[in-house]
Amino acid sequence: MSSRIHPGSPSSCPVIVVGFGLAGLSASCELVVRGVPVHILERQQKPGGNSIKASSGINGVPTRFQAQGSDTVSAFYNDTVDSAGVNLMKMETETRKKLISSLTESSSEAINWLVDEQGIDLTRVAQLGGHSHARTHRGAGLTPPGASIVLKLLKQLQASPLVTLETDTTVTKILKTNAVVVGVEVSHAGETRKIEGPVIFTAGGFAGDSSGLLARYRPDLAGLPSTNEALPGSVDLLVNVSAQLLDMEQVQVHPTGFVDPKEPAKPTKFLAAEALRGEGGILLRHGKRFINELATRKEISDEIMALPAEDLQPTKQWDILLVLDEAAYQATKTHVDFYMWKGLMRKTSIFELENSDVALETIKKYGAVVQGKGVSDPLGRSTFGNWNLENPTFESAVYVGTVTPVVHYTMGGVIFSPKAEVLDSGASPIKGLWAAGETTSGIHGENRLGGSSLLECVVFGRIAGQNAATFMGAHDGA
Ligand SMILES: Cc1cc2nc3c(=O)[nH]c(=O)nc-3n(C[C@H](O)[C@H](O)[C@H](O)COP(=O)(O)OP(=O)(O)OC[C@H]3O[C@@H](n4cnc5c(N)ncnc54)[C@H](O)[C@@H]3O)c2cc1C
């Protein structure tokens, strides 16, 4: 599709995009393809935000890369609602349902857009925790999905004369005149200035803001390590122009952040991708499995955090072993080789594991369940990825790393509409202001499904870009 600004429209002023992770990139792509100038403001020196770290993939249903005929949009919708939790779905039910419908119904198109229009490889599909089917897409190559998506979109946008990208520049205020958002105030190298234009706010969440928004909304999580950059959340900028917040206390703790044996107390942890469990990996505590490894992140994290923590001041963490057999390793080789290179995982034998007698027995029982030898899993796991270690001995090779729960994602944020409009206290759109990505709320409730954040960035980022382009007078041309 080609499209352009309508001649004579007030197109000289750009659309301002605040934050340049995947939501900002997706919005910018839609503006550029419609001929609308974009002014992107990013506080860090390099674009990519937390999006560039994404390691498991992006959800889409149905796609040509999934096992044919196995999955449906309604199964994805139901999994998302189940994961969001009954109590939260009772609040604002209609709004939440519309957002979840929009997300799940647009997921196939989002994958097609990335693959067919942007040239990104998403051919590998895994089943992550809380999903009833394999629907999380990543590439077959060495680059993790977040980096491959972000770097490709970034390269294309940087080649466009319509794009102005300012890094190291923090948006400090959103400017509103006569109930319309008209620009932002920014700070760069100690200087403050104003930039005019409607605003798409894609500034991410606050999982790394432990002493700010996290301490305000979830003081109980103080001291837990995080996968996010340790930077302040920016959603208060929206509140100052009468946007409303929802679910701010809903914070996702991911069950598996790697404990680096070289720096065990380090507060920022590297994420152990969920694909490791999806492809067959198990979790052991003192040699025993203790939960269905494909339960939701919340269920697994809660189970672990109910135990006494090791107190490694200033970090509070637990000691859980992630174990892969040779076949699960082969299926996740690119991930695991990288983790081994970083010293976060190692190849060893069952004999070397803590409580090796117990661990061997556990692995034998799990193997019997996987082989379907008339035993179902007492912990309720029903899919086992590629695990195929049938008759384990003490000498059998395993790939292991120590993991602990980490603050990972914030489900709460600004209330927005399926058109990505930011809503005020009367649930009316604030003119000239859109939002997308982790900064928004209403979709994930108490628990985001793995792979659905990159998806929301693409789906609602693109919607925000399309609607801001229309606001600027652009018309689809094809
Ligand atoms: C290690 C890790 C692995 C993950 N893996 C997956 C996965 O496999 N699949 C999945 O779906 N999700 C995954 N997630 C979650 C997902 O990556 C993020 O939720 C999502 O990418 C957020 O995208 P975003 O565009 O909303 O925000 P971000 O990518 O965080 O971008 C926001 C940007 O806004 C900038 N910014 C903030 N405030 C300001 C301001 N005031 N002025 C200027 N700039 C500002 C920030 O510096 C940042 O660059 C993962 C997250 C992490 C940390």
Side-chain angles (χ1 to χ4, degrees):
M1 183 174 75
S2 74
S3 43
R4 285 284 172 264
I5 287 275
H6 189 262
S9 64
S11 60
S12 56
C13 138
V15 172
I16 298 165
V17 171
V18 181
F20 211 28
L22 184 55
L25 284 155
S26 304
S28 302
C29 286
E30 292 296 327
L31 290 160
V32 165
V33 83
R34 286 165 176 76
V36 180
V38 197
H39 195 140
I40 300 151
L41 300 161
E42 168 55 54
R43 67 182 169 187
Q44 293 197 265
Q45 282 184 347
K46 285 190 181 164
N50 284 300
S51 303
I52 204 163
K53 296 181 173 185
S55 50
S56 292
I58 174 164
N59 298 331
V61 182
T63 73
R64 61 188 188 271
F65 309 112
Q66 290 183 282
Q68 289 310 299
S70 63
D71 197 4
T72 59
V73 169
S74 64
F76 184 19
Y77 175 92
N78 290 336
D79 290 346
T80 308
V81 169
D82 286 349
S83 183
V86 186
N87 291 332
L88 282 174
M89 285 306 292
K90 280 182 193 154
M91 289 164 54
E92 312 270 344
T93 308
E94 285 316 308
T95 317
R96 290 182 194 271
K97 282 187 174 171
K98 279 184 198 153
L99 289 169
I100 297 172
S101 293
S102 193
L103 180 84
T104 51
E105 284 163 14
S106 308
S107 65
S108 176
E109 154 68 10
I111 299 288
N112 290 341
W113 181 72
L114 291 169
V115 173
D116 298 331
E117 294 190 37
Q118 311 301 328
I120 296 160
D121 173 22
L122 293 173
T123 48
R124 294 291 303 269
V125 185
Q127 180 169 351
L128 304 188
H131 288 276
S132 57
H133 292 83
R135 56 170 78 110
T136 307
H137 296 64
R138 67 180 195 275
L142 288 175
T143 315
S148 61
I149 296 171
V150 163
L151 296 175
K152 193 70 174 250
L153 298 185
L154 185 60
K155 194 170 172 199
Q156 291 174 17
L157 286 169
Q158 281 176 325
S160 168
L162 291 167
V163 172
T164 305
L165 169 61
E166 277 189 81
T167 53
D168 229 350
T169 304
T170 303
V171 173
T172 50
K173 198 171 181 184
I174 294 179
L175 306 171
K176 195 171 158 194
T177 307
N178 299 328
V180 181
V181 168
V182 292
V184 294
E185 192 174 274
V186 299
S187 160
H188 169 75
E191 286 184 10
T192 301
R193 69 181 207 283
K194 289 179 182 166
I195 303 171
E196 281 181 26
V199 172
I200 300 180
F201 197 84
T202 49
F206 58 94
D209 189 7
S210 58
S211 59
L213 291 179
L214 204 56
R216 190 194 304 167
Y217 291 103
R218 285 296 302 269
D220 58 309
L221 295 180
L224 242 65
S226 174
T227 54
N228 282 218
E229 296 302 311
L231 290 168
S234 292
V235 84
D236 280 347
L237 300 180
L238 294 178
V239 175
N240 293 342
V241 289
S242 68
Q244 306 295 301
L245 300 180
L246 181 71
D247 295 346
M248 291 297 278
E249 67 293 349
Q250 300 300 332
V251 173
Q252 184 170 72
V253 177
H254 195 292
T256 63
F258 277 120
V259 176
D260 187 339
K262 296 184 292 300
E263 297 174 275
K266 197 175 167 192
T268 304
K269 305 284 191 215
F270 218 89
L271 188 74
E274 206 151 306
L276 304 184
R277 283 176 284 132
E279 296 289 8
I282 54 174
L283 297 174
L284 303 186
R285 189 169 60 209
H286 308 314
K288 284 189 180 166
R289 286 179 66 225
F290 56 94
I291 193 155
N292 169 2
E293 293 83 1
L294 297 185
T296 65
R297 292 172 177 181
K298 179 170 165 43
E299 286 163 343
I300 301 175
S301 301
D302 284 353
E303 181 81 17
I304 297 172
M305 287 162 56
L307 293 164
E310 282 181 71
D311 215 346
L312 287 176
Q313 290 297 336
T315 316
K316 192 164 102 183
Q317 62 192 39
W318 288 260
D319 197 358
I320 304 295
L321 200 66
L322 172 67
V323 181
L324 273 65
D325 73 344
E326 187 66 40
Y329 159 69
Q330 289 298 336
T332 51
K333 193 172 179 335
T334 49
H335 283 90
V336 177
D337 285 351
F338 176 70
Y339 299 142
M340 289 203 288
W341 174 76
K342 286 196 76 83
L344 301 169
M345 285 189 84
R346 63 198 162 91
K347 183 178 181 181
T348 186
S349 65
I350 294 176
F351 183 70
E352 298 294 332
L353 303 184
E354 181 201 5
N355 286 356
S356 56
D357 289 343
V358 180
L360 179 61
E361 200 49 37
T362 302
I363 291 171
K364 266 187 195 157
K365 281 187 189 154
Y366 181 65
V369 170
V370 174
Q371 300 304 316
K373 292 183 176 162
V375 212
S376 62
D377 182 21
L379 296 168
R381 183 164 177 168
S382 57
T383 59
F384 309 97
N386 285 273
W387 185 285
N388 73 358
L389 181 53
E390 237 180 286
N391 298 305
T393 64
F394 279 129
E395 286 70 43
S396 300
V398 281
Y399 296 78
V400 300
T402 303
V403 293
T404 185
V406 272
V407 179
H408 183 53
Y409 180 88
T410 45
M411 271 76 71
V414 71
I415 299 182
F416 78 138
S417 75
K419 291 181 179 170
E421 302 148 322
V422 178
L423 304 180
D424 66 14
S425 56
S428 299
I430 299 172
K431 223 172 161 194
L433 182 63
W434 299 265
E438 193 170 340
T439 208
T440 62
S441 66
I443 296 175
H444 310 294
E446 5 180 276
N447 187 59
R448 170 181 70 91
L449 288 173
S452 280
S453 180
L454 292 185
L455 177 63
E456 77 180 318
C457 289
V458 173
V459 168
F460 293 107
R462 292 184 68 204
I463 291 173
Q466 289 157 6
N467 288 329
T470 305
F471 180 83
M472 295 293 282
H475 295 270
D476 290 345

